[in-house]
Amino acid sequence: MEKSKVYFTKEITSESLMKIYEAVGVELTGKVAVKVSTGEAGARGYLKADLIAPLVKKLNGTIVECNTAYRGERNILKAHMKVAQDHGFTSFADVDIMDAPGEKKIPVNGGKHLDYDIIGVNLDNYDSMLNLAHGKGHAMGGFGANLKNQSIGIASRNGKAYIHSAGFTDDPKILWDNLPPQIDFIESMAESAKAVADYFASQNKPIVYITVMNFLSIDCDCDCNQSDPVMDDLGIVASLDPVANDQAFVDMIFSSKEPGAQKLQERIDSMLGREILPYSEKLGLGSTQYELIEI
């Protein structure tokens, strides 16, 4: 099997972000969705406006998000838009909370937990997508990067409940009392990420995957009490393959000799986080085998 190409730069600047996007070699055209986490109120690790604005403007992109399943400051439209404004996203792009007007089901092919994925209905308004993830730890998924950004991130509020419960419920009110075995949740994230990839591919809509590996906390940007980074910034990876891109990020964490890296490694493995990679590969979403190309 041919290895997927993953482009890499150690430099984290708006210029290097632009350069790595161009290195991937696929031009995103038409109405471009830029899927970024807007970050919970109080979080510090979300991707900042000064870093991503030049690329988003170049693409004439729209920042897209969906409401959260947990009670925070982003579970309803008005509050979510205020956080997006407070975090600087509305200063350089339109922001679309895609499930505010409604949701829709899209098929999950070859999965064993989910019969479908429930996404924000406004995803249909876009011709291409930049999956622009912040790589970091995650309290429930172990780590979050492109796969999580495309599964939980694009799912509607009810869709998030459906994924988190591995298909048991789409009701956020009863979700937290009905959590499944951890591996079922991890695999459900892979299934929903694959559903979005298949849905875009069926309409010949391209997706480019970029992960910025900075502010490497064991906590996600959805955590209002996000802890400090435990290791130095790693750089940026980009690919047309979300599995390879996530694998490269995880490999860098696990090959690090920094003392703090162990905390992130433990967070990932305690939540079976790495299991999303071979399962995504088995589903046909991408490959865990990659060639790292430094730019």
Side-chain angles (χ1 to χ4, degrees):
M1 184 189 288
E2 191 177 340
K3 292 181 177 179
S4 295
K5 289 183 170 64
V6 173
Y7 298 89
F8 170 61
T9 177
K10 291 177 182 171
E11 190 180 301
I12 303 178
T13 63
S14 55
E15 293 79 15
S16 65
L17 188 59
M18 196 93 76
K19 197 183 292 183
I20 205 166
Y21 162 73
E22 288 164 357
V24 173
V26 169
E27 191 178 351
L28 299 177
T29 57
K31 194 166 184 193
V32 181
V34 180
K35 174 61 190 78
V36 174
S37 169
T38 47
E40 188 55 48
R44 296 170 291 149
Y46 60 88
L47 298 179
K48 304 302 186 294
D50 59 350
L51 176 65
I52 70 171
L55 178 56
V56 176
K57 286 178 182 173
K58 173 188 163 70
L59 297 173
N60 196 22
T62 301
I63 300 289
V64 300
E65 261 280 40
C66 284
N67 287 316
T68 61
Y70 62 84
R71 286 182 186 169
E73 298 299 321
R74 298 184 301 148
N75 62 347
I76 57 171
L77 176 64
K78 186 177 179 183
H80 199 156
M81 286 300 295
K82 183 179 187 308
V83 172
Q85 182 177 4
D86 290 347
H87 287 176
F89 292 103
T90 58
S91 68
F92 63 89
D94 290 337
V95 174
D96 180 4
I97 309 303
M98 295 187 293
D99 62 334
E103 61 190 20
K104 68 179 289 182
K105 293 176 181 177
I106 61 173
V108 167
N109 300 310
K112 60 185 179 184
H113 304 289
L114 305 183
D115 296 322
Y116 46 79
D117 187 21
I118 314 170
I119 62 170
V121 71
N122 279 3
L123 188 65
D124 280 344
N125 296 340
Y126 299 94
D127 304 303
S128 58
M129 180 162 62
L130 175 62
N131 179 331
L132 182 55
H134 172 221
K136 70 280 168 188
H138 191 271
M140 295 190 74
F143 78 97
N146 287 130
L147 293 172
K148 179 182 174 293
N149 200 34
Q150 190 154 295
S151 57
I152 299 288
I154 285 173
S156 67
R157 186 163 189 261
N158 294 334
K160 287 176 171 65
Y162 188 65
I163 296 165
H164 269 291
S165 67
F168 178 78
T169 182
D170 62 7
D171 184 353
K173 292 190 187 74
I174 65 169
L175 159 65
W176 307 111
D177 294 323
N178 291 282
L179 294 176
Q182 179 65 9
I183 189 62
D184 293 357
F185 164 56
I186 296 293
E187 291 178 348
S188 295
M189 278 203 293
E191 290 176 13
S192 51
K194 173 78 162 34
V196 173
D198 288 348
Y199 189 62
F200 263 59
S202 71
Q203 301 170 75
N204 294 312
K205 294 179 176 181
I207 305 174
V208 170
Y209 299 92
I210 298 178
T211 292
V212 179
M213 304 175 292
N214 68 350
F215 200 95
L216 293 164
S217 169
I218 62 168
D219 299 318
C220 180
D221 304 336
C222 59
D223 190 333
C224 62
N225 297 306
Q226 190 174 30
S227 59
D228 291 336
V230 293
M231 55 187 292
D232 292 340
D233 295 350
L234 292 168
I236 306 173
V237 285
S239 184
L240 295 175
D241 180 340
V243 181
N245 222 43
D246 275 22
Q247 184 73 62
F249 169 49
V250 168
D251 285 348
M252 287 180 205
I253 292 168
F254 278 85
S255 63
S256 173
K257 300 291 186 276
E258 278 190 69
Q262 190 176 349
K263 292 181 179 175
L264 193 46
Q265 294 163 10
E266 287 168 354
R267 167 55 59 92
I268 292 169
D269 281 350
S270 69
M271 304 311 295
L272 308 180
R274 284 194 277 182
E275 296 300 321
I276 197 171
L277 300 164
Y279 188 69
S280 295
E281 183 174 53
K282 186 178 171 187
L283 290 172
L285 179 51
S287 174
T288 56
Q289 302 300 308
Y290 62 91
E291 173 192 3
L292 197 67
I293 303 164
E294 194 156 355
I295 62 162

